[in-house]
Every structure is written in structure tokens, then in C-alpha cells.
Amino acid sequence: MKTAQRLFLLATFAMSTVLGCAPGENGGNTSGSAESDSGKPRIALIMKSLANDFFSAMAKGAEEHQAAHAEEYELIVNGIKDERDLSRQVALVEEMIAAGVDAIVIAPADSKALVPALRRAQKAGIVVINIDNRLDQEVLEQEGVSIPFVGPDNKAGAKKVGDYLATKLAAGDAVAVLEGIRTSFNGTQRRLGFEEAMKAADINIVASQSAQWEMSQANTVASSMLSEHPEIKAILAANDNMALGAVAAVQSAGLDHPVLVVGFDNIPAVREAMKEGKVLATADQHGDKLAVYGIEYALKLIDDSDAEVEDRETPVDLITAEDLGE
């Protein structure tokens, strides 16, 4: 690209960053700027749906870390409105490449679709760290890139939740699963963890369907499941938004027996629902720290380009009402 063209592109992007989007809209908000003369590394955090409390907590944790380490780096926070808006997330990666950031820490909305854009980022000399939702290994190999993953073992976390649920059920009971987006690695792993726990306890999964991580869709899907299978004793939701949708569906179904609901993420609304006895359990993958783990890893790789690059597993814990106290 010619120099004049590149300067125009960067100027246009910088202006859109200043004038464009408030927190929670496409493009997100920034702690720092896309263009900077400070000489400090600039790290772009690109997340999934900012409407999800989990990612709001992630953004807040990253911003607090940057504020405490303001002399070390600048932070640009971006996100999309809807976790299914893959094209917008790809566009955010391209914008960060054009802005010349030093690192991209990304929670990809899809495990496959983001890989080509991230390959272009690496080719441009940008450090790329994958958090939250692991990129597809086969596609990474096809694209000829290696991107480290920093995040929890989603299957193990879901199994912890499923194992706890099984202690409240009897062998032969019927349950349903609300899956995440099926092209996302974390959604697949959580489903597998739930299935493993139910199989071990001889509990029957009579329905399993994606609700796209969304509360309203989970309400619709769970309502249909309960209508078709009124014998269902529990619903295992692959994230807390869907768990809340399931709670609403259970309340509307008017069944003559309780239906237990479990989730994954430990968002504030689910913690309240657990205190009220509406949700049995969830998994905490410490969203407020997850981006920070990725940022710290990115800073290490920026500082030492010869550092060994490897995946890093982060904690995931079972959370029940007993863990919340009063």
C-alpha cells in the first residue's frame, strides 16, 4: 500500500475510534487509542458479545489491569453486539492490523472463521493470543500458523457442573442440554463434558439443541423441549445466559415436578438466581482475569520474541449456592 493511502486509512480509523462507538456497541471503547506516539506497546482486546455480562467483566478486568500498569502498555478494547456477527469481528481484526497494534488478544466468536484474519495479523508482525474459545487446530494447521491458547479446560469445567447435578438426580432420569454455537470449540467441549457426566451417572439426555448462547433463544428452545419431554428433570446450559432462558421456560411450563438448571460462566444474574434457588450450579472460568492472563502473555512475547510459545491452562471452578454465602 502506498504511503499516502496508508496514512489516509489510519487517519480514518483513528477518527472512527474517537467518534464512533460507545461501550457496548460494535467497535467497543478504548483505554488508549488506535494511534499513539507514547512508544508503549499497544494491545488490542477483541471480545465476543458485549451484551453478555461475562465479557463485560472481562473488559473491566482488562481495563483495571491496564490502569494499574499504565506505564507498561496501552489497551484498546473492542467487541461485537452479537456473538454470531463473525464478519464484524473479522473487520475488527483487520482494523487493528491497519492500526499497527503490537498484539491482539482475542476471544473468537467462531473457532474457524477468524483464523485467516489472525494469520494476516501474525504476518504483519503482530503477536496474537487466543483466549476463552480455542481456535480450531486443523484450520490453524491448514493456514500454517501457531497461535497460543490461554484459557480453561471447558470440558473439565462442564463435567464438574454435570457431576454435581448428577448428585441431585437418580439413575434413569431425563435431562436436556442447551448447547452453544456448534462451530465454537468451547461450546462443543462443554457439551461433551455434560454428556460425559450424564453417561457416568446413567442419566438420559433426551434432547440436545443449540440456543446460540442467547437467553431468548434458550427460552424458546427449552420451552419446546419441556413440552415434548415433560419428564425432563434438569437442563444443562452451556452458558449462563441460556441458563436464565431455561429458568424462564421452566417457570412457564407449569410442570408438576421441579426442573433443575445449571449453567456456565458465573455471571451476576446467575449468582442471584442461585441464591433464590432457581439455578443449581455454574462454572467460574474467572472472566475478569482471563483477558489479563492473555495480556500478560502478549507482553512477554512482545518483550522477548524468542520466548517459548505454548498454551496456558487457566482455572475453572464449580460454583454452587453454598459458595456464595449470604
Side-chain angles (χ1 to χ4, degrees):
M1 182 180 292
K2 294 180 180 179
T3 302
Q5 291 174 315
R6 179 173 176 79
L7 288 174
F8 175 78
L9 175 61
L10 295 182
T12 300
F13 172 69
M15 184 63 70
S16 70
T17 301
V18 173
L19 299 178
C21 303
E25 297 184 355
N26 285 4
N29 63 303
T30 63
S31 303
S33 61
E35 295 297 313
S36 173
D37 296 323
S38 69
K40 292 180 287 188
R42 287 174 301 137
I43 296 179
L45 173 62
I46 301 178
M47 297 174 294
K48 293 189 278 184
S49 174
L50 293 176
N52 186 327
D53 283 344
F54 176 77
F55 293 105
S56 297
M58 180 183 288
K60 182 178 180 182
E63 289 165 347
E64 290 176 350
H65 183 270
Q66 191 278 331
H69 299 81
E71 297 305 312
E72 298 178 28
Y73 73 100
E74 295 181 359
L75 178 66
I76 305 166
V77 178
N78 290 291
I80 54 180
K81 284 183 178 179
D82 187 323
E83 292 194 35
R84 295 164 292 184
D85 192 357
L86 303 180
S87 62
R88 179 55 188 154
Q89 200 176 43
V90 169
L92 286 173
V93 173
E94 299 290 359
E95 289 170 5
M96 294 300 100
I97 295 171
V101 298
D102 296 282
I104 292 173
V105 176
I106 184 167
D110 185 276
S111 296
K112 298 180 179 180
L114 272 294
V115 175
L118 296 173
R119 176 187 58 79
R120 291 191 288 274
Q122 279 195 336
K123 191 173 181 180
I126 297 171
V127 170
V128 178
I129 304 294
N130 170 205
I131 62 171
D132 178 54
N133 180 32
R134 187 188 291 269
L135 294 165
D136 186 89
Q137 187 59 41
E138 184 176 337
V139 177
L140 287 170
E141 291 173 0
Q142 290 173 356
E143 292 288 334
V145 295
S146 177
I147 296 174
F149 175 71
V150 177
D153 184 331
N154 281 273
K155 182 178 178 181
K159 188 174 184 302
K160 287 180 183 179
V161 174
D163 287 341
Y164 181 74
L165 172 64
T167 67
K168 309 297 181 179
L169 299 172
D173 278 349
V175 301
V177 175
L178 291 173
E179 305 172 36
I181 293 174
R182 287 178 171 172
T183 54
S184 65
F185 182 85
N186 58 350
T188 299
Q189 291 298 298
R190 292 176 195 178
R191 174 181 59 79
L192 292 173
F194 288 154
E195 290 175 350
E196 187 174 314
M198 295 302 96
K199 182 178 180 180
D202 194 24
I203 293 168
N204 298 322
I205 298 175
V206 297
S208 185
Q209 187 175 334
S210 172
Q212 304 286 313
W213 301 124
E214 299 292 336
M215 187 187 306
S216 61
Q217 192 162 343
N219 187 0
T220 300
V221 172
S223 294
S224 177
M225 289 174 166
L226 292 169
S227 177
E228 185 175 355
H229 299 281
E231 74 276 17
I232 285 173
K233 297 291 183 65
I235 298 175
L236 299 94
N239 81 345
D240 281 348
N241 276 356
M242 294 191 297
L244 294 172
V247 167
V250 169
Q251 291 173 335
S252 298
L255 298 175
D256 60 2
H257 61 83
V259 178
L260 303 175
V261 176
V262 297
F264 198 112
D265 277 343
N266 195 29
I267 65 174
V270 157
R271 290 198 292 273
E272 289 304 311
M274 282 195 289
K275 291 177 182 178
E276 296 169 2
K278 297 175 181 177
V279 172
L280 179 69
T282 187
D284 189 356
Q285 56 176 325
H286 308 283
D288 59 332
K289 299 177 182 177
L290 193 51
V292 172
Y293 296 143
I295 289 167
E296 290 176 340
Y297 198 2
L299 288 169
K300 177 180 178 180
L301 296 181
I302 290 170
D303 185 59
D304 181 7
S305 60
D306 295 324
E308 183 178 357
V309 178
E310 58 186 4
D311 293 346
R312 294 188 174 182
E313 186 172 320
T314 59
V316 57
D317 301 307
L318 171 69
I319 303 295
T320 68
E322 289 74 18
D323 297 309
L324 301 178
E326 295 298 327

